[in-house]
Amino acid sequence: MRATRLVSLLLLLQLRGQLTALELAAHFDVSVRTIHRDVESLAAAGVPIEAVRGPAGGYRLAGGYRTKLTGLTGAEADALFVAPAPAAELGLGGVLANARLKVLAALPSELQERATRAERYFHLDARGWFRAEDTVPHLPAIASATWHEQRLRARYREGPRVVQRTLDPLGLVLKGGAWYLVARRSAGMRVYRVSRFVSVRVREEGFARPDDFDLPAYWQEWSRTFETSRSRVEVTLRASELALRQLPSDLRRGDGVYTVGFESLEDAFRELLKFGPDAEVLEPAELRERIAATAREVAGLYAVQRVR
């Protein structure tokens, strides 16, 4: 931990030029005394670091001391600092911050400007609007086991049941704000939604990762198969212009009646109920009656005079 901080301190001074002990302490969330000791350790190791006294003083590197990172183009510098992966969820937030600092400090000045400018102008937010996000407390452990090729012993929620699984984690995929684990078990390859893991224990034993396993290729093929095999429920309805603007764009039309596909009756019920009178379900009858019954319950609830 201290060794990492010493390297980061050195590169931060290289990047910023001169910083006070108080500024450095705030950056690394340590005491000013710790910063003084770190500076002494760097000086003892031969780093030409010097103290500037006075109100505008602080620490700086003497003699233009710096390292160089060669072979990086301007476009590569831009890309490196635009929309980093959600490393914090993987337990790598601090590691990524240190790595970015090291790269930025080692860049020539003209590429430093390009990298920091790209970060100011572009940002990626992969989350969806107005929906509950996955809770993934076990993601860092799963990511660590995946990286170090260690076997997992896990409890996983499959519908109403919780099952025990021994898994070889081969890769993680972030899709539409949800994390998925591609893993191998005795019954073969499978994809697991990370939010459904109830508990995870990383075992000491490792496993042999298949030499021919290609995560992007596997995910593409699995996604194609999953999408084509999903059971769909077709709902026939009448809808206002307001509802039509929010319903799937692939709906079929005919004489003011529309057919819309949903993954299940439950999804159709939850999606169409929010439109109220702007969407009238014609078929299937089961869905029409369920929405009608719910509307009657809501009307009855609001018809009762509440006494405070």
Side-chain angles (χ1 to χ4, degrees):
M1 182 66 154
R2 186 175 185 237
T4 300
R5 189 175 67 246
L6 289 175
V7 173
S8 297
L9 192 155
L10 168 62
L11 293 172
L12 192 61
L13 290 176
Q14 179 176 305
L15 178 63
R16 303 284 178 82
Q18 182 173 310
L19 291 168
T20 67
L22 191 60
E23 289 171 329
L24 290 167
H27 179 86
F28 293 107
D29 194 23
V30 297
S31 68
V32 171
R33 179 172 295 182
T34 297
I35 293 299
H36 291 322
R37 286 200 298 265
D38 287 349
V39 169
E40 291 173 0
S41 296
L42 287 171
V47 175
I49 188 169
E50 61 183 16
V52 180
R53 303 192 180 281
Y59 291 109
R60 68 186 181 192
L61 297 174
Y65 180 88
R66 63 181 296 109
T67 60
K68 294 286 185 181
L69 181 68
T70 59
L72 198 67
T73 67
E76 289 168 340
D78 290 346
L80 183 63
F81 285 83
V82 173
E89 288 187 320
L90 295 169
L92 299 172
V95 175
L96 178 63
N98 284 335
R100 282 157 57 94
L101 175 61
K102 291 175 183 178
V103 172
L104 190 60
L107 288 173
S109 58
E110 65 275 10
L111 293 187
Q112 285 182 10
E113 170 58 26
R114 288 194 60 160
T116 55
R117 186 169 184 267
E119 190 175 29
R120 290 196 302 269
Y121 283 96
F122 300 100
H123 173 69
L124 171 66
D125 183 355
R127 300 296 193 179
W129 288 108
F130 308 118
R131 63 178 178 82
E133 300 294 351
D134 275 357
T135 302
V136 286
H138 305 296
L139 180 60
I142 293 172
S144 176
T146 303
W147 181 256
H148 295 101
E149 297 183 359
Q150 290 177 281
R151 193 155 284 160
L152 288 173
R153 183 65 175 167
R155 296 169 62 236
Y156 185 78
R157 186 175 293 105
E158 289 186 351
R161 302 183 305 135
V162 174
V163 297
Q164 296 273 358
R165 292 286 182 262
T166 299
L167 305 172
D168 294 343
L170 300 177
L172 282 161
V173 176
L174 179 61
K175 168 74 171 178
W179 285 99
Y180 296 87
L181 171 68
V182 179
R184 179 182 60 186
R185 65 186 184 97
S186 57
M189 300 283 289
R190 188 180 160 183
V191 174
Y192 297 85
R193 188 156 180 159
V194 174
S195 61
R196 294 179 185 164
F197 281 98
V198 177
S199 65
V200 166
R201 182 168 61 87
V202 181
R203 300 176 63 167
E204 293 295 328
E205 62 185 290
F207 63 90
R209 182 184 177 87
D211 292 334
D212 59 349
F213 177 73
D214 185 317
L215 179 61
Y218 178 86
W219 179 260
Q220 183 178 17
E221 181 61 29
W222 180 88
S223 299
R224 186 184 302 113
T225 302
F226 174 73
E227 290 170 0
T228 56
S229 64
R230 282 160 59 182
S231 59
R232 289 177 61 84
V233 173
E234 290 196 339
V235 176
T236 305
L237 51 80
R238 291 191 183 93
S240 70
E241 287 298 323
L242 174 65
L244 290 176
R245 286 197 295 269
Q246 300 180 57
L247 286 169
S249 58
D250 60 347
L251 51 80
R252 299 197 300 272
R253 311 181 178 207
D255 301 326
V257 176
Y258 304 87
T259 301
V260 185
F262 295 91
E263 289 187 31
S264 66
L265 280 176
E266 184 65 28
D267 288 337
F269 170 74
R270 294 185 180 279
E271 180 68 18
L272 295 173
L273 187 64
K274 69 183 183 184
F275 291 115
D278 286 304
E280 178 193 359
V281 173
L282 303 177
E283 293 179 348
E286 175 187 354
L287 178 60
R288 178 182 175 89
E289 177 53 34
R290 184 178 177 187
I291 291 178
T294 302
R296 288 193 293 270
E297 290 177 10
V298 172
L301 177 66
Y302 281 89
V304 176
Q305 183 66 38
R306 294 288 183 184
V307 179
R308 292 177 180 260

